[in-house]
Amino acid sequence: MGKNVEEKIIRPPVKQITSGKIFKPSQAFLHKLLFKSAFAFALIWLITILSFVGFCFLLAADNPGKYPSTTQLINTWIVPVNLWTMVINLVWLVPALIAIPLYFKSIEYSVKAESGETMPEIYSKRGIITITRKHLPFRTITNISSRAGPFDRMFKIGSVYIETAGYSGAKQAGPEEKLSGIVFYEEVRDFILKELRKFKEPYVTGTEVVYPTEEPVPKMESLDDEILITLREIRDILRNKRKDNNL
C-alpha cells in the first residue's frame, strides 16, 4: 500500500478559486491591464500633439518669412496629425483590447506545501498562443518579495516576486516568476515564507533580514556533501585504528 501524503493547500480569501489548488488573479487585474492600455493610448496621443505644437513654434521662429503665424500652422495641420495619430495607435490598441481578456483567462496559480514524499512547489500557467507552465520547487527559491505599484494600488492588488538560485544573477533583469494581480498578495508572500522557513533557512522577503541557524546534522543536498561526510568518517576510523595500534 502506498504511503498517504498529507497536503496543505493555501485557500485565498477570494471567490476566484477554480478548484482545490488552483486560483486565478483578481478581476481587478484585468481592469488594470485594460486601463494601462487606454492610458498608454492617451499618453502617446498627448505627447504627439504637444510635440507637433512645439515643432510649429520652432518652425515659425526659424523661418518667419515662410511661416508667419504659429496659430495658422497649428490650425492647418492639427486635424490631419490628430487623425493619423489616432489611426496608428488603434493599430496596436484594438488587438491589445482583444488579447488582454484572453491572456487574463489563461492565468492560473497554485501555491502548495506538502509533507511526505511530494515536493512543495509554486505553479503558474499563462499564455494564449504559447502556453507556459512553470513549477518552482521550494528548494530552489532564494528570495520572496511583494510589490504594489501606482496602478496596483489604484485597483487594490499586488504581486509576489519569486527569485530562484538558478535564475537570479547579473545577466537576469528580474525575478523568474511573478504572481500578479492578487488581492491577498501579502498573505501569499507570508504563506510562502513560512513554508520556506520550515523547508530550509534563511529566506527573506526583500526587506527582512533572517539570520541562519546552525544545523547540528549536516544536510546531504548534493553528492559533494555526501562524499565529504564519508571521507570524514574514514578519517575518524583510521585515527581510531592508529590509537589502538599505539596502545
Side-chain angles (χ1 to χ4, degrees):
M1 295 179 65
K3 181 180 178 180
N4 293 329
V5 178
E6 180 185 359
E7 179 175 317
K8 296 180 292 182
I9 303 170
I10 181 172
R11 298 188 180 277
V14 292
K15 298 179 180 179
Q16 290 82 11
I17 302 177
T18 58
S19 61
K21 295 177 293 190
I22 303 298
F23 63 94
K24 301 180 73 66
S26 169
Q27 194 74 16
F29 183 55
L30 173 61
H31 300 158
K32 172 199 165 184
L33 295 177
L34 295 174
F35 178 81
K36 286 182 68 176
S37 299
F39 182 81
F41 176 87
L43 187 61
I44 294 173
W45 173 84
L46 181 61
I47 292 174
T48 304
I49 296 302
L50 291 178
S51 300
F52 166 73
V53 172
F55 178 75
C56 289
F57 274 103
L58 292 175
L59 198 61
D62 184 64
N63 197 346
K66 188 176 180 180
Y67 306 104
S69 174
T70 304
T71 305
Q72 184 180 357
L73 277 173
I74 295 174
N75 292 336
T76 302
W77 294 101
I78 187 64
V79 174
V81 170
N82 187 44
L83 179 61
W84 280 107
T85 302
M86 293 288 187
V87 171
I88 294 173
N89 273 307
L90 287 174
V91 170
W92 67 264
L93 180 62
V94 172
L97 295 179
I98 296 174
I100 286 174
L102 298 176
Y103 174 76
F104 172 79
K105 290 181 180 179
S106 71
I107 301 176
E108 292 180 352
Y109 301 134
S110 174
V111 181
K112 62 179 181 178
E114 299 177 356
S115 60
E117 297 177 351
T118 307
M119 178 66 67
E121 67 175 12
I122 296 173
Y123 165 78
S124 68
K125 168 186 166 291
R126 57 169 59 85
I128 302 174
I129 298 176
T130 302
I131 299 176
T132 302
R133 291 181 172 88
K134 284 188 177 182
H135 297 264
L136 302 180
F138 277 14
R139 62 181 175 81
T140 65
I141 298 175
T142 58
N143 189 50
I144 295 289
S145 62
S146 60
R147 301 180 190 176
F151 291 108
D152 293 320
R153 294 193 297 271
M154 183 184 302
F155 291 94
K156 298 180 179 180
I157 56 177
S159 303
V160 178
Y161 288 73
I162 303 165
E163 298 179 11
T164 61
Y167 192 85
S168 58
K171 296 183 180 180
Q172 304 298 337
E176 181 171 356
E177 186 53 45
K178 180 173 68 171
L179 309 183
S180 304
I182 307 175
V183 175
F184 47 89
Y185 63 97
E186 291 183 344
E187 287 82 355
V188 172
R189 179 204 63 196
D190 293 341
F191 177 85
I192 297 173
L193 179 63
K194 180 180 177 182
E195 295 301 323
L196 286 174
R197 283 172 174 165
K198 293 179 182 178
F199 189 72
K200 182 181 178 181
E201 293 185 354
Y203 288 94
V204 298
T205 61
T207 57
E208 178 188 7
V209 177
V210 180
Y211 295 97
T213 57
E214 294 185 358
E215 298 175 353
V217 179
K219 293 184 177 181
M220 293 185 292
E221 296 181 351
S222 65
L223 182 60
D224 293 338
D225 294 336
E226 188 174 358
I227 293 173
L228 181 60
I229 293 174
T230 304
L231 290 175
R232 287 176 178 174
E233 292 177 352
I234 295 173
R235 181 196 61 189
D236 294 337
I237 293 173
L238 292 175
R239 283 180 178 176
N240 293 331
K241 287 185 176 182
R242 288 178 181 178
K243 289 180 181 179
D244 294 338
N245 291 333
N246 293 332
L247 294 176

